[in-house]
Amino acid sequence: VWGQGQCALRLNCATKPIYTPMVFVIALLVAVAGPLWWGWPWLQGLYKALVLLVIACPCALVISTPVTIVSGLASAARRGILIKGGVHLENARKIQLIALDKTGTITQGKPRLVQTEVMPGVSHEDEVLHWACDMAAHSDHPVSQAVAAGLAGLGCDGDLESFEVLPGQGIKARAHGLELWLGNHRLMESLGLCRVQIEEKLSVHEARGRTVTMLASREQVLAIFAVADGIKDSSREAIARLSALGVATTILSGDNQATTDAIAREAGVAQARGELLPQAKLEAIHEMRERAGGRLVAMVGDGINDAPALAASDLGIAMGGLGTDVAIEAADIAIMNDDLRRIPEIIRLSRRTHAILLQNIALALGIKAAFLGLAVFDSATLWMAVFADMGASLLVVGNGLRLLRA
C-alpha cells in the first residue's frame, strides 16, 4: 500500500509543476481575455474560468490508481495471500516463467522415513542410529527432521559434539574423536565414499522419488536413510492452471536429479534441475532472467536455501505456513496456506486489477474531456463541472472497489 501510495504521490507531484500552473494560466486567460477580446461580461468570464478550473481538477485521475491497487491487495489478503505492496501485484500479470522449489512447495513438506539400512560390516548398529538421530535433530531441514522423527524411538543421545551445518549438503559432527557426516548424495561424493554398491542402492530409492540421506565416517558409509515426501493434492491442478494462463514452470531443487525428475513427472512440470546449492539456485534465476528476453521470472520457495533466489527473482513468492522466516522476509508475496493454486489466482487478480485500472483512467479522462468540450461550446454549468469532478471521483472509487468481490 505504501509503495502504491508513493506512486500516486509522485503522479500528483508531477502534475503540479506543469499541469496545475497551465490550468491556472488558461483559466486566467478565459477570465481576462474573454471580456477584453470577445466582449463577455466580466462576471461571465469569471464564471467560465471557475467552470474550467473545477472540470480540470485531477482528483479522479490521481485517486484511480491507489484505490484500485488497495482493493486488489485487500482481495488477495482475504484469500490468504499477503502482497508486500502494489508494485508486486502489478508485476504478477507480467510473469511468464515460474521456478518452484520441490520440498515443501510442490511436495507436502512433511517427509517421513520409509527405510533404514545399516551397511554390512558395521558392528555397532545401535550407536550408529543414535548418532544419525542426534545429528538429524540438529538440522531444521525437513528431510533431516524426518530422519530424526523416524529414529526418535531409538533415542537421540548420540554423545556428539562440534556440530557444523554444511549448507545444501548436510551436517558434520564428532563423536569421541571420530568425524561423522550426515548428508545427501552430493556430500558423499565429495568425500569419495560413493562406491558401486552404494550407487546401486541409491539408484533404487531415487527412481521411486525418494530422498536419500547417509551417515558416514571418513572411511565408509555407515547407514542409508530413505525419506519419502508425496506431492500436494493441489500441485498438479496449480501447474495445469498456470499452463492454461501461458506461464511456464520449472523445478529448482537441492535434491538429487533422479528424485527431482520423478516429482516433476508426477506434478506435470516439464523441466527440472536438481542437485542445486543455494548459490546454484541463485545463478539459475539469473540465467532464467537473462534468457527471458524482458519477461519477468518468479521464484516460489519455503526454505533458507531458497532465500537468495527469492530475493533475486522479479517476484518472490514464499510458502507462509511451513516456510522459514528468512524465506518469507526475502519474498514479495507470502501464501499463508501453502496452496500453489493461489499463484494462478494472483496472476488473474493482477490482470483484472490492471484492466480496472485502465478503465478508471479512461473514465476519469473521458468524463473530463466530455465536459471540457461542453465548456468550450458554452454548454457547461458550474454544477455540471462539480459532477465532472466529484462524480468522476466517485465512479473510479466504486469501480475500483469491485475488486473486493474478485
Side-chain angles (χ1 to χ4, degrees), residues 311-328:
S313 63
D314 296 304
L315 188 68
I317 304 175
M319 300 290 104
L322 295 176
T324 62
D325 293 340
V326 175
I328 296 173

Side-chain angles (χ1 to χ4, degrees), residues 1-16 58-59 61-70 73 84-91 94 357 361:
V1 175
W2 168 244
Q4 192 55 44
Q6 285 181 312
C7 292
L9 181 61
R10 286 196 297 269
L11 176 61
N12 191 23
C13 291
T15 62
K16 289 181 179 179
C59 295
L61 182 61
V62 173
I63 203 174
S64 62
T65 297
V67 71
T68 304
I69 295 297
V70 170
L73 297 178
K84 302 177 183 178
V87 64
H88 306 307
L89 176 60
E90 293 184 71
N91 285 339
K94 305 174 185 177
L357 182 58
I361 294 174

Side-chain angles (χ1 to χ4, degrees), residues 101-402:
D101 175 49
K102 180 180 73 66
T103 304
T105 302
I106 292 179
T107 64
Q108 296 174 359
K110 298 178 181 179
R112 56 188 179 86
L113 183 63
V114 295
Q115 186 171 338
T116 299
E117 181 179 0
V118 178
M119 294 296 98
V122 177
S123 57
H124 44 292
E125 179 175 334
D126 290 342
E127 190 174 23
V128 166
L129 296 180
H130 291 167
W131 288 342
C133 184
D134 195 5
M135 294 178 71
H138 279 78
S139 173
D140 60 357
H141 193 280
V143 174
S144 295
Q145 291 297 309
V147 173
L151 300 177
L154 303 175
C156 288
D157 185 8
D159 193 22
L160 299 176
E161 59 185 13
S162 302
F163 290 95
E164 179 185 353
V165 175
L166 308 175
Q169 294 183 310
I171 191 168
K172 179 181 178 182
R174 298 179 66 88
H176 309 295
L178 176 66
E179 288 185 313
L180 297 171
W181 288 266
L182 180 71
N184 56 23
H185 194 170
R186 185 190 306 108
L187 177 59
M188 297 302 128
E189 286 182 338
S190 67
L191 296 172
L193 300 177
C194 281
R195 298 178 175 87
V196 176
Q197 61 271 28
I198 299 297
E199 291 285 359
E200 291 176 352
K201 294 179 181 294
L202 296 183
S203 298
V204 173
H205 291 297
E206 292 170 356
R208 298 179 180 177
R210 296 174 177 176
T211 301
V212 179
T213 299
M214 289 167 278
L215 177 68
S217 64
R218 177 65 70 178
E219 292 78 21
Q220 64 175 332
V221 173
L222 302 175
I224 295 177
F225 307 95
V227 172
D229 185 15
I231 70 170
K232 299 175 184 176
D233 295 335
S234 60
S235 294
R236 298 185 192 89
E237 184 178 352
I239 299 301
R241 290 183 182 181
L242 287 171
S243 178
L245 291 172
V247 179
T249 55
T250 185
I251 294 179
L252 302 180
S253 175
D255 212 337
N256 63 82
Q257 188 64 52
T259 301
T260 304
D261 289 339
I263 295 297
R265 287 193 298 270
E266 191 174 356
V269 179
Q271 297 182 351
R273 295 177 60 180
E275 302 179 4
L276 299 178
L277 294 173
Q279 181 62 31
K281 285 189 178 183
L282 177 61
E283 293 172 356
I285 290 295
H286 287 313
E287 292 174 4
M288 291 166 65
R289 294 183 65 186
E290 291 176 359
R291 296 197 308 266
R295 299 177 300 170
L296 300 192
V297 175
M299 172 67 191
V300 186
D302 70 322
I304 295 176
N305 294 341
D306 304 317
L310 288 169
S313 63
D314 296 304
L315 188 68
I317 304 175
M319 300 290 104
L322 295 176
T324 62
D325 293 340
V326 175
I328 296 173
E329 181 66 25
D332 305 309
I333 299 175
I335 300 175
M336 302 313 296
N337 64 354
D338 294 348
D339 190 340
L340 279 181
R341 290 175 296 186
R342 294 293 181 264
I343 298 177
E345 289 180 10
I346 294 170
I347 295 175
R348 286 197 299 268
L349 177 62
S350 176
R351 292 178 180 179
R352 184 173 182 183
T353 300
H354 181 69
I356 290 182
L357 182 58
L358 292 180
Q359 291 173 14
N360 280 347
I361 294 174
L363 275 173
L365 294 177
I367 290 175
K368 291 186 179 297
F371 281 92
L372 280 174
L374 292 174
V376 169
F377 294 101
D378 202 21
S379 299
T381 65
L382 191 57
W383 290 109
M384 295 171 66
V386 170
F387 172 77
D389 179 35
M390 295 306 301
S393 298
L394 293 174
L395 280 175
V396 298
V397 169
N399 193 41
L401 291 177
R402 291 194 299 122

